[in-house]
Amino acid sequence: MSEYWKQQALSQRDRFVGELLSFLSINSIEDMATAAEGKPFGEGVAQALEYLLARGESDGFRTKNVDGYAGVIEYGEGEEEIGLLVHVDVVTVGDDWTTPPFEPNIRGGRIYARGAIDDKGPALAAYYALKLVKDSRLPLSKKVRLIIGTDEESGWLCMKHFAEHDKVPEVGFSPDSSFPMTHAEKGQINPTLALSVQEQEVESAGYQLLSFVSGDQGNSVPEKAKAVVSAEQSLNAEWQREMTASWEAFLHAKATTGHVDISEAGEVTFRLHGKPAHGMIPQQGKNAGTLLAYFLLSLPFKASDYSFLSLLGQVLHEDYYGQNLHIACEDEVSGKLSVNAGILRYSRSDGGSVRLNIRYPATVAYEEYVEKLKRRVEELGWKISHLRTSKSHYVPKDRPVIQTLSRVYEEHTGLQANLLSSGGATYAKMMSEGVAFGPLFPGKESMAHLTDEYAEIDDLLRAMAIYADAISELAK
Ligand SMILES: [Zn+2]
């Protein structure tokens, strides 16, 4: 049937591109300033949700708006259900776009706009796929539900609300990742570690760490770090020369940049630049905070100042896989546990705090690693002051949903359907037998969340054909 679906998808090209242009023109960045009843994430997100639901209604589907948190476009009957989970909210935009992010522009077969590939383009392609299935009049034995989320890029409150007021199917896919398909997603442990400063240390002489600030998001590698230090000799010219020289040598050795300033009162301020990266791939960044702490450990700090710096500069510095935290582990389907130190703070009044974003392998029982982490943190003189965890997701290879989608993918592309794993999460994990399926084809650059985000129109049509085939096979 793959030829049939390919032809059907191509026949939709003009109408699809036209609607995609309108859909992508809606600025659907979450905007709480315009939130209201029925629009919990603001005006733009609500409009994008309404746009899709209105398409569904005019094409003769049953539709439902679940309090503005989510929407459903539904086709077919049956006890069993197949879920297609998409989202219409998008991430923020910077200033460097070639053409405005909400004025979609077609250049060289690509459509440039925020949301083109994550996830409005794929969402519309999945909707069209459902419409092609409906138009084909093929007999189905299951109900197919396209579920539209509105808060995927932030807190997933949309799906939480939906799950409380409706039901997410057990089987299905989310077109919000890469082909062939992602069947394993790591889980997360997000602890905040706290260090208290003892009263009597506050007045201690010699070197003092007055403050330390780095990072503002748990799941990003900090790009900048700043520390303010006082030292008894800091007004001595010889000391200043030596300090500046060793700082410059350090920056050079670590291939990075920074500044040191010494105030008239003798306060020394260090600023260091690292390299940002997503928290799920900390090894691809350069953590400005742990690197600055690593440098400061060359100075004779004591007591809490030292405890703070040594956690950062000795334990967490380049500890991408958790060896120093005694939680390193890996599995075959999703690889190694990863650790990102995302928010690092210290002051002599509030003490130290460190927010970690730990991503653990999909098949590992995380409780055991939380225990190990707790023990290690206490051994280091810190404690866990706050802890948030999220489950991993794993669908074994032999499950029917994987068998069916693999077969469809192979028929359409002639490529082998090798299963993927991810450090990030998609809506697929809302379904016990859910996988992330496309829309990015192998070898294509992922532009999600980046400046000049685009989708290739031919690829969206190829994905549409695959989705139509997949829906008809899963629901037959
Ligand atoms: Zn997405």
Side-chain angles (χ1 to χ4, degrees), residues 60 80 88 228 237 324 337 388 447 457:
E80 287 180 73
V88 295
V228 183
N324 298 340
L337 173 145
R388 200 164 46 84
M447 295 302 290
I457 293 169

Side-chain angles (χ1 to χ4, degrees), residues 189-195 354 356 369-378 382-388:
I189 304 170
N190 296 295
T192 303
L193 314 185
L195 175 75
V354 168
L356 300 180
Y369 290 87
V370 170
E371 276 313 308
K372 286 184 179 179
L373 180 70
K374 239 182 221 160
R375 278 203 297 279
R376 177 65 172 141
V377 162
E378 281 165 15
W382 290 63
K383 63 180 204 303
I384 295 180
S385 63
H386 186 258
L387 180 69
R388 200 164 46 84

Side-chain angles (χ1 to χ4, degrees), residues 82 142 171-173 400-401 404-405 469-476:
I82 299 298
K142 298 173 189 161
V171 181
F173 63 86
V401 64
T404 303
L405 296 183
D469 206 341
I471 293 166
S472 68
E473 287 296 312
L474 289 172
K476 78 177 179 195

Side-chain angles (χ1 to χ4, degrees), residues 186 280-284 315-316 318-330 335-340 358-359:
K186 285 180 177 170
M280 68 185 177
I281 38 170
Q283 71 278 14
Q284 292 184 17
V315 179
L316 297 173
E318 295 181 356
D319 190 30
Y320 308 125
Y321 307 114
Q323 275 103 340
N324 298 340
L325 283 175
H326 299 177
I327 53 171
C329 60
E330 62 186 296
K336 289 184 159 91
L337 173 145
S338 69
V339 177
N340 179 54
I358 298 167
R359 304 200 178 217

Side-chain angles (χ1 to χ4, degrees), residues 52-53 56 61-63 72-74 127 130 144-146 148:
L52 263 194
L53 290 176
F61 288 99
R62 294 188 297 272
T63 67
V72 188
I73 298 177
E74 201 172 84
Y127 168 68
L130 186 58
V144 186
R145 307 186 83 200
L146 177 75
I148 307 156

